[in-house]
DNA sequence: AGTGCCGGGAG
DNA sequence: CTCCCGGCACT
């Protein structure tokens, strides 16, 4: 283990990596599906027997599989982009204006550490125009970012959510035991996720889009995004972009067949039924941090619908009213491309105690007496890519303070019962360890080396 | 279990 | 001081 190279701690199978296509000199994303130890030509599917000359079998999004040696791979536990010279046309991902966008390399000048990337419209059909950005090599990713670990968990739970919500509709029961859909058995992903990027799964067609919509709706069950990113891009990040029929599979299953979500009918139903005044974020898929969820539920409570469009604080008492408001005040006339029920993403349901004054304050969420006070936006920004990578993210955070000064970004943090007065909250930022990995510890900032607060990526 | 980093020890 | 690491908090 002292070789310097970090070996994956658990099974490397499923690790997303980029590997070099020698034909065109470009790195293509794929997933490790196995490894071979040259000494014994048996096919390993995990950590045993991996040696430095192990070869890894990578399946690309095209379905093609190839074998690579460790040094030919870029990804967690393997090489990093920083050591590469990117060739023109290399597909990359960068964070631009707070969201992850994909683009292609125009040129890379290692001497001045400059990569010019042409960013294409992230949302097909949008009127964004292509533009170029210059980035440093270490800001460039070959793999699409995944959500934070926390959200990966949540994503994992969408299916459960569907299931649960569906049950809830039928029977208002508090106890939830969710049988896992058998064909959705998902083992925990490695940190980078093991899901194929969906961009090439063009054949998935409408089904996938339906699932996309369904997933979105599930998200809206717990919260409605109102992030600027959404407004600009129409939808989410590049994973939704290049082809309009992509995306959902990455949330739903890792087999790329789009069959992971067997209950799409259910989802569809939910889509049209989620006006039912049942607070839905208490599903065990998404934790409610307020702890005493049941408490307000027992009390007489009232559901209000709050517009989350930035700068707007409209509160309505019914789902229809708020949707009408969002539709006509913000979204404009219905447009086929944006899909139906887009309104749902721009409001939240909140439960307020009927005893207190029902009208919540006019700023974003967070008023007392509201039991679902967490901000939706953040979660969805997370899904675009780790917020930590976004310097502007913190700014947004500042701007979204609720009247009492709390950001309701991360309720956990806020509610943290006993965070030491001294100990700084665990930052969301990338740290040297993450950025460079163990194998390049020498590039860590001194503080990180000494296990002190990171100065390079800290705030 | 992995990660971030405080607190404190050694030199 | 710098260097290092035990161990806790947090995820």
């Amino acid at each position: 283990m002292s070789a310097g190279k970090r070996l994956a701690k658990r099974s490397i199978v499923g690790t997303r990596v980029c590997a070099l296509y020698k034909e065109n000199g470009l790195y293509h994303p794929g997933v490790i599906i196995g490894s071979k130890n040259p000494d014994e030509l048996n096919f390993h599917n995990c950590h045993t027997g991996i040696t430095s000359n192990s070869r890894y079998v990578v399946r690309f999004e095209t379905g093609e599989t190839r074998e690579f040696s460790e040094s030919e791979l870029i990804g967690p536990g393997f090489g990093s982009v920083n050591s590469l010279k990117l060739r023109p046309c290399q597909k990359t991902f960068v964070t631009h204006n707070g969201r992850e966008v994909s683009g292609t390399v125009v040129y890379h000048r290692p001497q001045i550490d400059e990569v010019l990337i042409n960013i294409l419209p992230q949302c097909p059909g949008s009127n964004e125009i292509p533009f170029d950005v210059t980035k440093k090599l270490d800001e460039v990713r070959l793999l699409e970012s995944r959500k934070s670990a926390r959200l990966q968990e949540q994503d994992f739970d969408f299916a459960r959510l569907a299931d649960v919500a569906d049950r809830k509709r039928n029977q208002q029961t508090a106890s939830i035991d969710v049988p896992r859909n058998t064909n959705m058995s998902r083992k925990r992903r490695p940190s980078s996720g093991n899901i194929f990027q969906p961009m090439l799964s063009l054949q998935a067609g409408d089904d996938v889009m339906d699932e996309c919509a369904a997933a979105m709706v599930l998200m809206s069950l717990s919260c409605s995004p109102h992030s600027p990113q959404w407004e600009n891009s129409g939808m989410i990040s590049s994973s939704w972009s290049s082809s309009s029929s992509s995306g959902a599979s990455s949330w739903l299953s890792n087999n790329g067949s789009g069959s992971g979500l067997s209950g799409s009918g259910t989802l569809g139903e939910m889509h049209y039924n989620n006006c039912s005044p049942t607070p839905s974020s208490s599903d065990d898929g998404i934790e409610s941090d307020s702890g005493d969820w049941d408490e307000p539920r027992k009390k007489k409570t009232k559901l209000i619908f709050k517009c989350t469009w930035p700068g707007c604080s409209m509160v309505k008492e019914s789902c229809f009213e708020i949707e009408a408001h969002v539709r006509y005040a913000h979204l404009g006339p219905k447009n086929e491309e944006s899909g139906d029920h887009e309104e749902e993403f721009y409001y939240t349901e909140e439960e307020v105690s009927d005893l207190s004054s029902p009208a919540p304050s006019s700023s974003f969420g967070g008023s007392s007496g509201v039991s679902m006070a967490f901000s939706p936006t953040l979660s969805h920004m997370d899904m675009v890519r780790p917020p930590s990578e976004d310097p502007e993210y913190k700014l947004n955070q500042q701007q979204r303070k609720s009247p009492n000064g709390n950001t309701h970004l991360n309720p956990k943090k806020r509610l943290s019962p006993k965070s030491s007065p001294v100990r700084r909250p665990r930052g969301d930022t990338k740290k040297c360890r993450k950025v460079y990995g163990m194998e390049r510890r020498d590039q860590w900032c001194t503080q990180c080396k000494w296990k002190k607060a990171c100065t390079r990526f800290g705030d």
Side-chain angles (χ1 to χ4, degrees), chain A residues 387-406:
Chain A
S388 47
E389 293 172 25
D390 178 11
E392 289 161 76
Y393 171 75
K394 288 203 173 74
L395 247 174
N396 286 339
Q397 228 174 307
Q398 305 288 348
Q399 290 163 356
R400 290 177 188 239
K401 296 223 172 185
S402 60
N404 59 14
N406 287 330

Side-chain angles (χ1 to χ4, degrees), chain A residues 202-231:
Chain A
L202 298 168
Q203 77 283 11
D206 291 339
D207 286 356
V208 172
M209 211 45 215
D210 286 350
E211 289 173 4
C212 259
M216 298 302 296
V217 167
L218 286 169
M219 288 179 349
S220 82
L221 284 175
S222 65
C223 47
S224 301
H226 50 94
S227 84
Q229 279 72 23
W230 281 56
E231 299 148 35

Side-chain angles (χ1 to χ4, degrees), chain A residues 309-324:
Chain A
W309 193 276
C312 179
S313 54
M314 182 64 74
V315 174
K316 298 282 187 187
E317 294 191 350
S318 82
C319 169
F320 297 112
E321 286 177 275
I322 196 71
E323 288 196 357

Side-chain angles (χ1 to χ4, degrees), chain A residues 5-163:
Chain A
K5 279 275 184 191
R6 179 177 57 154
L7 287 178
K9 300 221 165 32
R10 295 191 193 127
S11 168
I12 48 135
V13 173
T15 302
R16 292 195 312 148
V17 293
C18 269
L20 185 63
Y21 263 48
K22 291 203 173 104
E23 305 91 276
N24 57 12
L26 301 180
Y27 286 86
H28 291 250
V31 174
I32 294 180
I33 59 168
S35 64
K36 286 178 178 175
N37 186 325
D39 303 334
E40 13 158 355
L41 283 166
N42 296 332
F43 200 82
H44 290 270
N45 85 344
C46 84
H47 34 280
T48 56
I50 290 178
T51 69
S52 56
N53 5 327
S54 285
R55 297 187 61 81
Y56 298 86
V57 182
V58 175
R59 182 159 67 215
F60 293 96
E61 292 160 345
T62 55
E64 182 188 1
T65 58
R66 296 190 184 191
E67 232 180 79
F68 295 92
S69 68
E70 181 175 337
S71 60
E72 295 171 301
L73 298 178
I74 301 297
F78 298 98
S80 88
V81 252
N82 295 349
S83 56
L84 302 180
K85 163 88 167 74
L86 300 177
R87 301 184 54 153
C89 295
Q90 171 67 52
K91 175 154 186 169
T92 56
F93 297 89
V94 294
T95 299
H96 181 73
N97 281 343
R99 68 176 166 135
E100 178 169 86
V101 293
S102 61
T104 52
V105 170
V106 178
Y107 64 72
H108 171 206
R109 295 184 178 145
Q111 323 82 10
I112 51 172
D113 191 15
E114 180 179 294
V115 186
L116 184 68
I117 296 170
N118 182 246
I119 308 294
L120 294 166
Q122 301 298 302
C123 195
S126 75
N127 43 11
E128 293 177 55
I129 47 171
F131 58 96
D132 290 341
V133 294
T134 38
K135 294 280 179 186
K136 296 190 168 175
L137 188 55
D138 63 3
E139 298 171 306
V140 174
R141 300 179 290 278
L142 295 180
L143 289 166
E144 191 175 7
S145 290
R146 301 299 307 164
K147 295 174 287 181
S148 66
R150 176 172 60 88
L151 283 147
Q152 284 187 15
E153 292 294 318
Q154 292 189 3
D155 140 34
F156 165 90
D157 276 323
F158 281 138
R160 304 173 68 190
L161 215 63
D163 204 337

